[in-house]
Amino acid sequence: MDETSMPDQTTETAFTDKGLARDLPKLSVIGLGKLGAPMAAVFACAGYRVTGTDHTADLVDMVRAGTAPFSETDLQSQFSQAGDRLRAVYTTAEAVAESDISFVIVPTPSGPDGLFSNHFLLDAVSAIGAAAAKKDTYHLVVITSTVVPGTTGTDVLAALEASSGKCVGGDIGLCYSPEFIALGSVVRDMKNPDLVLIGESDPKAGDMLEAVYRRTCESNPVSRRMNFVNAELAKIAINTFVTTKISYANMLSGICDALPGADIDAISAALGADSRIGPKYLKGGAAFGGPCFPRDNKALSAFAAHLGIKAHIAEATDALNMDQTDRLVRLLEANHEGPANICVCGLAYKTDTNVTEKSAGLSILLSLRARGHTVWAHDPQVQQRDITSDLTSDLTLHSDLETALKGADALLLMTPWPEYQDVPQKIVARKNPLTIIDPWRLFNADNFEDGVTYIAVGRP
Ligand SMILES: NC(=O)c1ccc[n+]([C@@H]2O[C@H](COP(=O)([O-])OP(=O)(O)OC[C@H]3O[C@@H](n4cnc5c(N)ncnc54)[C@H](O)[C@@H]3O)[C@@H](O)[C@H]2O)c1
């Protein structure tokens, strides 16, 4: 089947009926990583029999033992609740043989050109196809990994048909259906999406997948069903639009830094009250980071260039985000002459996770070190093993805030952990002057004693 023969009209339905728990299809999840493990557990808690598999045997072992393989809010309780409805096996062949629908959630890493690589995805799909070839019942393959538009209907579909010997839209179905989650709230986000996005080879495949979501979602999400390429572009568009809001607010916050009397919080409150704009992601804070957002604008811009189109907004959003580190370094150095002893508070890319990938805290730490400052860090959840950068193997990383603050000339509050509300109490009766740079504006200047220079970024 080619892309042009797929449904091209977006259909919209609302989920209203959970139906009965009998005759449920069996599910498999290929890739038990940060997204796949929670997804397998959430499906099992919704009553499905789920078989997970992963190339990493340790992950399979942990799932078999009923242990959540990652630190993620509510994940262990989902594993406990799932009980024997959730199993794990060591091969894709076994997982496919034991299921009717396979969800593929393997990495699609960014290549040097900014586009996502399909290497892991095509390997996984070929293994599913080879296993599906041995089945005499219909099998549905759902791609959840983030892909470049055009991938599912071309390379993925071809790999599936070649390995299975079956025709997509006939004995085998194919959907592209990404999740909209943030680490730290994956379980909640999976159960309560605003939107279920389904790119489908044919209505039978889409109906089967929509029924799974109808049962799993506790919210009443809108379902948008369309062809593959529209769903693939919609996924990247949603993510990049959110980052554009973040960069827009950070741009305004930068203007506020230089404008006497200006206050980003007052401006964001006004912007967010307009229903055409909405209040989410307009705080004005540190740069966005993590495993998804930073790479999505690069991918959109590279993909558009491939089509001969310039994605100006994606490029500006990315450039503004990269500028945020320099902006904070400039603020610090304008308020502290010469090399400083600096404590970076918060290395996680957001609260409620220990993931540091492309985090604002890690980025500023590396930049300050390169400029000759002495830098150490504090984070309530991140441990040394969570930091993937080779440049930080000698980093001093504290989990106790009081210890971390000792001897610092400056603090940078990079992740707005609730623990940082205690900073004013932890620095009373200090002998040395201290500069605090706070892009999240957690405090009032009145919270601090003489000798503390408190810089609420975006509120000069
Ligand atoms: N983590 C997020 O916040 C997030 C959010 C939205 C979308 N995504 C997308 O989801 C996909 C997966 O992300 P993740 O964070 O779960 O990645 P991850 O690296 O945490 O997990 C992926 C897992 O897949 C396994 N794997 C690779 N090839 C395999 C194969 N052929 N068979 C079985 N297992 C295989 C790996 O061993 C790994 O455990 C990516 O495309 C990512 O862009 C991630």
Side-chain angles (χ1 to χ4, degrees):
M1 177 183 281
D2 70 17
E3 186 81 9
T4 51
S5 61
M6 289 166 197
D8 58 2
Q9 275 195 320
T10 301
T11 56
E12 179 186 347
T13 52
F15 293 155
T16 49
D17 178 17
K18 295 260 174 216
L20 297 172
R22 62 179 178 242
D23 299 332
L24 297 178
K26 293 196 214 86
L27 312 183
S28 56
V29 175
I30 316 301
L32 294 170
K34 294 183 289 299
L35 198 49
M39 184 186 243
V42 165
F43 284 153
C45 287
Y48 290 99
R49 298 225 157 257
V50 184
T51 306
T53 189
D54 198 287
H55 271 173
T56 306
D58 286 355
L59 289 176
V60 176
D61 291 341
M62 290 181 86
V63 175
R64 287 168 87 102
T67 307
F70 299 100
S71 159
E72 178 59 53
T73 312
D74 294 335
L75 187 55
Q76 186 54 56
S77 67
Q78 292 291 294
F79 267 69
S80 306
Q81 206 183 313
D84 62 6
R85 284 194 301 276
L86 175 56
R87 312 178 51 235
V89 295
Y90 295 96
T91 65
T92 298
E94 209 181 328
V96 171
E98 290 185 10
S99 60
D100 306 297
I101 307 178
S102 296
F103 290 81
V104 187
I105 317 179
V106 298
T108 46
S110 300
D113 55 0
L115 296 173
F116 305 137
S117 155
N118 298 329
H119 171 72
F120 294 106
L121 181 60
L122 294 178
D123 275 359
V125 167
S126 297
I128 294 169
K134 300 192 178 99
K135 293 179 65 178
D136 54 12
T137 51
Y138 180 83
H139 199 86
L140 172 61
V141 180
V142 181
I143 309 300
T144 305
S145 302
T146 309
V147 297
V148 171
T151 303
T152 311
T154 57
D155 295 352
V156 169
L157 190 146
L160 186 58
E161 290 192 333
S163 54
S164 66
K166 296 181 178 181
C167 184
V168 166
D171 295 334
I172 200 156
L174 180 61
C175 288
Y176 170 72
S177 183
E179 291 283 344
F180 298 96
I181 56 93
L183 297 180
S185 54
V186 178
V187 170
R188 190 190 65 206
D189 296 346
M190 276 182 180
K191 291 182 176 185
N192 299 281
D194 291 339
L195 159 75
V196 158
L197 179 61
I198 299 176
E200 62 195 40
S201 57
D202 57 284
K204 177 178 175 180
D207 287 351
M208 203 166 166
L209 179 57
E210 186 172 329
V212 174
Y213 289 135
R214 186 185 304 131
R215 184 169 186 83
T216 310
C217 296
E218 292 173 358
S219 54
N220 189 25
V222 163
S223 160
R224 293 273 195 262
R225 289 173 55 174
M226 53 194 76
N227 68 19
F228 294 139
V229 82
N230 284 331
E232 291 163 330
L233 185 53
K235 158 68 180 175
I236 295 185
I238 289 169
N239 279 14
T240 53
F241 195 88
V242 169
T243 61
T244 298
K245 288 184 85 176
I246 296 171
S247 275
Y248 195 88
N250 285 344
M251 173 191 76
L252 291 175
S253 171
I255 291 173
C256 291
D257 284 345
L259 181 64
D263 180 344
I264 183 61
D265 290 325
I267 295 161
S268 301
L271 265 180
D274 187 317
S275 64
R276 292 170 300 176
I277 299 172
K280 289 185 179 172
Y281 293 97
L282 281 181
K283 166 89 183 149
F288 57 80
C292 293
F293 277 174
R295 71 195 197 112
D296 287 342
N297 282 296
K298 289 190 170 63
L300 182 59
S301 142
F303 175 66
H306 179 70
L307 298 174
I309 309 287
K310 190 119 175 80
H312 294 283
I313 294 180
E315 284 168 26
T317 297
D318 191 38
L320 260 156
N321 199 49
M322 310 281 269
D323 274 352
Q324 297 311 303
T325 297
D326 290 348
R327 177 183 166 208
L328 296 185
V329 171
R330 280 195 302 274
L331 269 175
L332 175 85
E333 292 184 346
N335 284 277
H336 193 285
E337 270 180 37
N341 294 316
I342 303 169
C343 177
V344 173
C345 289
L347 290 187
Y349 85 94
K350 62 182 278 298
T351 56
D352 299 322
T353 181
N354 58 355
V355 172
T356 60
E357 202 173 327
K358 301 241 180 324
S359 76
L362 207 49
S363 158
I364 203 152
L365 184 141
L366 295 174
S367 171
L368 290 167
R369 275 185 152 196
R371 295 175 69 82
H373 299 287
T374 302
V375 193
W376 61 89
H378 169 273
D379 194 286
Q381 279 200 20
V382 172
Q383 298 182 24
Q384 186 72 48
R385 64 168 182 267
D386 300 319
I387 307 173
T388 44
S389 168
D390 299 340
L391 302 170
T392 55
S393 52
D394 58 342
L395 173 70
T396 303
L397 174 59
H398 296 280
S399 55
D400 176 61
L401 185 56
E402 202 152 356
T403 314
L405 301 184
K406 276 187 193 142
D409 305 316
L411 305 186
L412 281 112
L413 288 166
M414 299 307 295
T415 315
W417 287 106
E419 284 84 344
Y420 294 151
Q421 292 297 340
D422 295 342
V423 165
Q425 292 82 55
K426 304 273 185 201
I427 57 169
V428 286
R430 278 176 59 91
K431 295 195 183 72
N432 300 331
L434 179 69
T435 301
I436 300 179
I437 310 253
D438 177 9
W440 300 104
R441 300 170 301 284
L442 299 179
F443 309 108
N444 285 317
D446 303 344
N447 291 128
F448 298 102
E449 302 182 333
D450 289 350
V452 176
T453 305
Y454 176 64
I455 299 171
V457 179
R459 191 196 295 151

